[in-house]
Amino acid sequence: MTYRELGRTGWKVSGISFGAWAIGGAWGAVDDVESMAALRAAIDCGVNFIDTADVYGMGRSERLIAELKRERKEQIVVATKAGRRLSPHTADGYNEKNLGAFIDDSLRNLATDCLDLLQLHCPPTDVYYRPEVFGAMDRFVEAGKVRFYGVSVERVEEALKALEYPNVQTVQIIFNCFRQRPANLFFEHAKRNRVGILARVPLASGLLTGKLNRDSQFEADDHRNFNRHGEAFDVGETFAGVDFDDGLAAVEEIRKLLPSGIGMAQFALRWILMFDAVTCAIPGGKRPAQVAENCSAADLPAIPEETMHAVRRIYDERIKHHVHQKW
Ligand SMILES: NC(=O)c1ccc[n+]([C@@H]2O[C@H](COP(=O)([O-])OP(=O)(O)OC[C@H]3O[C@@H](n4cnc5c(N)ncnc54)[C@H](OP(=O)(O)O)[C@@H]3O)[C@@H](O)[C@H]2O)c1
């Protein structure tokens, strides 16, 4: 495992960290025994940073992480999120009272008296134009309920706007071989501001593992089934917003670039770590073997420049028109 500075927090976190959405729900059947095994595998591989949210299984993901923390001695930084339990999900809902109540629930679920890192969970764009929301976050820090805070965004412009709030420590954004726009401008600005970047959906919901094909089936309660066209939440969160068949075709092009002995998932994750503005990728995983394979990407040699160019060409030719101007 390799480690990188997380913004100005003073923490050094694993380049490949752990995304804990799937162990909470919305990815088909989930088994807590296997989820715990996946979490333990992550720590065994050197992972020291876990991303979760109150809404992942309505506390289920957070509670599993609390269990992990009880049984392990290693320092584990937990980033959680608040806001998505609002119904309706509006900018007005992001007020001090509601956020305070969400924080109290996360403190209970995570069995702690202070959250390491709290992220606003893809709020409506308007929230970034409400300094009072960030003022409230400052007060949660002063009150000792939250150590640091950041944001999880859908759009590059939201990420850029979030950088204007001086106490934002991290920005979580979709970044992978199929979502390259953040690297154009945002990375440079985040680096200058020493704001950490968490690259989410790094495997494009499994597309970039190379294991899916046209016949792949997903359970009814897996978002790759029920949110394929953005029916439940932003379509960009499912297969990174890429048309499934076009994504499969692009994966076959990328597959031709793989050095021998390296799997597609490992390659896709190593590709993300080629960008030094990125603090970590947070791949999801429900099984220990997946987690171990993903973590091994951190120790792979650098991807040659011509291969990086080739991935960019595949993006430009096959993927860009689906996604580039949408987020
Ligand atoms: N709005 C937000 O803030 C937001 C939104 C989305 C995600 N996130 C965060 O980002 C994290 C990562 O994104 P994600 O989980 O949506 O997508 P992802 O990491 O791109 O894909 C994860 C899925 O790919 C499959 N997979 C993972 N490793 C594999 C391997 N080595 N071989 C084969 N299959 C593998 C697993 O699904 P199967 O085995 O079931 O195929 C896994 O659940 C989340 O867990 C969450 O923490 C945040």
mmCIF file of all heavy atoms in Angstrom, residues 165-184:
data_model
loop_
_atom_site.group_PDB
_atom_site.id
_atom_site.type_symbol
_atom_site.label_atom_id
_atom_site.label_comp_id
_atom_site.label_asym_id
_atom_site.label_seq_id
_atom_site.Cartn_x
_atom_site.Cartn_y
_atom_site.Cartn_z
ATOM 1 N N TYR A 165 -14.575 27.864 0.144
ATOM 2 C CA TYR A 165 -14.791 27.835 1.600
ATOM 3 C C TYR A 165 -13.519 27.286 2.253
ATOM 4 O O TYR A 165 -13.144 26.134 2.026
ATOM 5 C CB TYR A 165 -16.025 26.990 1.942
ATOM 6 C CG TYR A 165 -17.287 27.615 1.382
ATOM 7 C CD1 TYR A 165 -17.847 27.164 0.194
ATOM 8 C CD2 TYR A 165 -17.866 28.714 2.015
ATOM 9 C CE1 TYR A 165 -18.980 27.770 -0.348
ATOM 10 C CE2 TYR A 165 -19.000 29.327 1.484
ATOM 11 C CZ TYR A 165 -19.543 28.856 0.302
ATOM 12 O OH TYR A 165 -20.646 29.470 -0.230
ATOM 13 N N PRO A 166 -12.835 28.122 3.036
ATOM 14 C CA PRO A 166 -11.474 27.792 3.442
ATOM 15 C C PRO A 166 -11.342 26.551 4.314
ATOM 16 O O PRO A 166 -10.276 25.966 4.375
ATOM 17 C CB PRO A 166 -11.019 29.042 4.220
ATOM 18 C CG PRO A 166 -12.267 29.768 4.586
ATOM 19 C CD PRO A 166 -13.276 29.438 3.534
ATOM 20 N N ASN A 167 -12.426 26.146 4.968
ATOM 21 C CA ASN A 167 -12.292 24.980 5.862
ATOM 22 C C ASN A 167 -12.734 23.665 5.218
ATOM 23 O O ASN A 167 -12.783 22.633 5.890
ATOM 24 C CB ASN A 167 -13.030 25.233 7.173
ATOM 25 C CG ASN A 167 -12.405 26.413 7.909
ATOM 26 O OD1 ASN A 167 -11.191 26.620 7.832
ATOM 27 N ND2 ASN A 167 -13.221 27.217 8.567
ATOM 28 N N VAL A 168 -13.056 23.729 3.922
ATOM 29 C CA VAL A 168 -13.342 22.476 3.208
ATOM 30 C C VAL A 168 -12.015 21.740 3.022
ATOM 31 O O VAL A 168 -11.083 22.267 2.432
ATOM 32 C CB VAL A 168 -14.024 22.766 1.842
ATOM 33 C CG1 VAL A 168 -14.009 21.534 0.937
ATOM 34 C CG2 VAL A 168 -15.460 23.228 2.067
ATOM 35 N N GLN A 169 -11.939 20.535 3.553
ATOM 36 C CA GLN A 169 -10.676 19.779 3.521
ATOM 37 C C GLN A 169 -10.617 18.794 2.360
ATOM 38 O O GLN A 169 -9.540 18.414 1.915
ATOM 39 C CB GLN A 169 -10.513 18.980 4.822
ATOM 40 C CG GLN A 169 -10.383 19.840 6.055
ATOM 41 C CD GLN A 169 -9.000 20.425 6.199
ATOM 42 O OE1 GLN A 169 -8.069 20.065 5.485
ATOM 43 N NE2 GLN A 169 -8.851 21.349 7.126
ATOM 44 N N THR A 170 -11.800 18.328 1.938
ATOM 45 C CA THR A 170 -11.821 17.274 0.913
ATOM 46 C C THR A 170 -12.979 17.499 -0.060
ATOM 47 O O THR A 170 -14.024 18.042 0.317
ATOM 48 C CB THR A 170 -12.044 15.886 1.560
ATOM 49 O OG1 THR A 170 -13.237 15.926 2.332
ATOM 50 C CG2 THR A 170 -10.880 15.473 2.439
ATOM 51 N N VAL A 171 -12.746 17.053 -1.280
ATOM 52 C CA VAL A 171 -13.820 17.011 -2.270
ATOM 53 C C VAL A 171 -13.862 15.588 -2.809
ATOM 54 O O VAL A 171 -12.850 15.055 -3.254
ATOM 55 C CB VAL A 171 -13.576 18.006 -3.425
ATOM 56 C CG1 VAL A 171 -14.598 17.790 -4.539
ATOM 57 C CG2 VAL A 171 -13.649 19.443 -2.915
ATOM 58 N N GLN A 172 -15.043 14.999 -2.741
ATOM 59 C CA GLN A 172 -15.228 13.669 -3.318
ATOM 60 C C GLN A 172 -15.949 13.833 -4.649
ATOM 61 O O GLN A 172 -16.970 14.511 -4.744
ATOM 62 C CB GLN A 172 -16.060 12.797 -2.358
ATOM 63 C CG GLN A 172 -16.245 11.399 -2.909
ATOM 64 C CD GLN A 172 -17.048 10.475 -2.030
ATOM 65 O OE1 GLN A 172 -17.865 9.708 -2.519
ATOM 66 N NE2 GLN A 172 -16.813 10.512 -0.725
ATOM 67 N N ILE A 173 -15.400 13.207 -5.689
ATOM 68 C CA ILE A 173 -15.952 13.399 -7.033
ATOM 69 C C ILE A 173 -15.749 12.121 -7.852
ATOM 70 O O ILE A 173 -14.810 11.361 -7.586
ATOM 71 C CB ILE A 173 -15.259 14.633 -7.706
ATOM 72 C CG1 ILE A 173 -15.997 15.066 -8.970
ATOM 73 C CG2 ILE A 173 -13.769 14.384 -7.968
ATOM 74 C CD1 ILE A 173 -15.637 16.482 -9.455
ATOM 75 N N ILE A 174 -16.632 11.910 -8.822
ATOM 76 C CA ILE A 174 -16.447 10.731 -9.686
ATOM 77 C C ILE A 174 -15.253 10.997 -10.595
ATOM 78 O O ILE A 174 -15.212 12.004 -11.323
ATOM 79 C CB ILE A 174 -17.707 10.435 -10.521
ATOM 80 C CG1 ILE A 174 -18.895 10.133 -9.602
ATOM 81 C CG2 ILE A 174 -17.440 9.259 -11.473
ATOM 82 C CD1 ILE A 174 -20.186 9.776 -10.313
ATOM 83 N N PHE A 175 -14.279 10.101 -10.530
ATOM 84 C CA PHE A 175 -13.099 10.205 -11.385
ATOM 85 C C PHE A 175 -12.625 8.794 -11.709
ATOM 86 O O PHE A 175 -12.359 7.998 -10.818
ATOM 87 C CB PHE A 175 -11.982 10.990 -10.688
ATOM 88 C CG PHE A 175 -10.747 11.145 -11.528
ATOM 89 C CD1 PHE A 175 -10.806 11.838 -12.734
ATOM 90 C CD2 PHE A 175 -9.540 10.572 -11.158
ATOM 91 C CE1 PHE A 175 -9.678 11.965 -13.548
ATOM 92 C CE2 PHE A 175 -8.410 10.704 -11.954
ATOM 93 C CZ PHE A 175 -8.482 11.400 -13.143
ATOM 94 N N ASN A 176 -12.595 8.494 -12.982
ATOM 95 C CA ASN A 176 -12.109 7.191 -13.450
ATOM 96 C C ASN A 176 -11.823 7.298 -14.948
ATOM 97 O O ASN A 176 -11.975 8.389 -15.523
ATOM 98 C CB ASN A 176 -13.146 6.090 -13.127
ATOM 99 C CG ASN A 176 -14.490 6.330 -13.794
ATOM 100 O OD1 ASN A 176 -14.560 6.707 -14.960
ATOM 101 N ND2 ASN A 176 -15.577 6.132 -13.050
ATOM 102 N N CYS A 177 -11.406 6.208 -15.583
ATOM 103 C CA CYS A 177 -11.058 6.256 -17.016
ATOM 104 C C CYS A 177 -12.225 6.783 -17.857
ATOM 105 O O CYS A 177 -12.013 7.298 -18.962
ATOM 106 C CB CYS A 177 -10.701 4.860 -17.534
ATOM 107 S SG CYS A 177 -9.278 4.094 -16.766
ATOM 108 N N PHE A 178 -13.448 6.653 -17.341
ATOM 109 C CA PHE A 178 -14.640 7.085 -18.077
ATOM 110 C C PHE A 178 -15.157 8.450 -17.626
ATOM 111 O O PHE A 178 -16.174 8.929 -18.146
ATOM 112 C CB PHE A 178 -15.776 6.062 -17.913
ATOM 113 C CG PHE A 178 -15.575 4.777 -18.663
ATOM 114 C CD1 PHE A 178 -16.426 3.699 -18.454
ATOM 115 C CD2 PHE A 178 -14.558 4.621 -19.592
ATOM 116 C CE1 PHE A 178 -16.269 2.515 -19.152
ATOM 117 C CE2 PHE A 178 -14.376 3.442 -20.290
ATOM 118 C CZ PHE A 178 -15.232 2.379 -20.065
ATOM 119 N N ARG A 179 -14.525 9.050 -16.642
ATOM 120 C CA ARG A 179 -14.965 10.373 -16.182
ATOM 121 C C ARG A 179 -13.710 11.220 -15.946
ATOM 122 O O ARG A 179 -13.231 11.352 -14.836
ATOM 123 C CB ARG A 179 -15.806 10.240 -14.901
ATOM 124 C CG ARG A 179 -17.217 9.700 -15.122
ATOM 125 C CD ARG A 179 -18.159 10.680 -15.806
ATOM 126 N NE ARG A 179 -18.538 11.737 -14.894
ATOM 127 C CZ ARG A 179 -19.547 11.658 -14.026
ATOM 128 N NH1 ARG A 179 -20.339 10.604 -13.990
ATOM 129 N NH2 ARG A 179 -19.820 12.651 -13.217
ATOM 130 N N GLN A 180 -13.190 11.792 -17.026
ATOM 131 C CA GLN A 180 -11.873 12.423 -16.948
ATOM 132 C C GLN A 180 -11.908 13.941 -16.761
ATOM 133 O O GLN A 180 -10.872 14.565 -16.570
ATOM 134 C CB GLN A 180 -11.055 12.056 -18.198
ATOM 135 C CG GLN A 180 -10.842 10.563 -18.332
ATOM 136 C CD GLN A 180 -9.703 10.193 -19.284
ATOM 137 O OE1 GLN A 180 -8.816 10.990 -19.563
ATOM 138 N NE2 GLN A 180 -9.741 8.989 -19.790
ATOM 139 N N ARG A 181 -13.079 14.545 -16.835
ATOM 140 C CA ARG A 181 -13.113 16.011 -16.811
ATOM 141 C C ARG A 181 -12.526 16.635 -15.542
ATOM 142 O O ARG A 181 -11.898 17.704 -15.626
ATOM 143 C CB ARG A 181 -14.545 16.502 -17.052
ATOM 144 C CG ARG A 181 -14.649 18.005 -17.137
ATOM 145 C CD ARG A 181 -15.973 18.489 -17.739
ATOM 146 N NE ARG A 181 -16.027 19.937 -17.657
ATOM 147 C CZ ARG A 181 -16.796 20.614 -16.808
ATOM 148 N NH1 ARG A 181 -17.599 19.978 -15.963
ATOM 149 N NH2 ARG A 181 -16.771 21.925 -16.781
ATOM 150 N N PRO A 182 -12.685 16.016 -14.364
ATOM 151 C CA PRO A 182 -12.104 16.662 -13.162
ATOM 152 C C PRO A 182 -10.610 16.964 -13.304
ATOM 153 O O PRO A 182 -10.107 17.921 -12.704
ATOM 154 C CB PRO A 182 -12.360 15.631 -12.051
ATOM 155 C CG PRO A 182 -13.598 14.925 -12.495
ATOM 156 C CD PRO A 182 -13.461 14.811 -13.998
ATOM 157 N N ALA A 183 -9.904 16.169 -14.098
ATOM 158 C CA ALA A 183 -8.450 16.365 -14.224
ATOM 159 C C ALA A 183 -8.101 17.627 -15.009
ATOM 160 O O ALA A 183 -6.972 18.130 -14.929
ATOM 161 C CB ALA A 183 -7.819 15.141 -14.897
ATOM 162 N N ASN A 184 -9.050 18.158 -15.777
ATOM 163 C CA ASN A 184 -8.744 19.290 -16.652
ATOM 164 C C ASN A 184 -8.372 20.561 -15.901
ATOM 165 O O ASN A 184 -7.390 21.210 -16.210
ATOM 166 C CB ASN A 184 -9.937 19.613 -17.555
ATOM 167 C CG ASN A 184 -10.070 18.596 -18.678
ATOM 168 O OD1 ASN A 184 -9.331 17.622 -18.715
ATOM 169 N ND2 ASN A 184 -11.016 18.825 -19.567
#
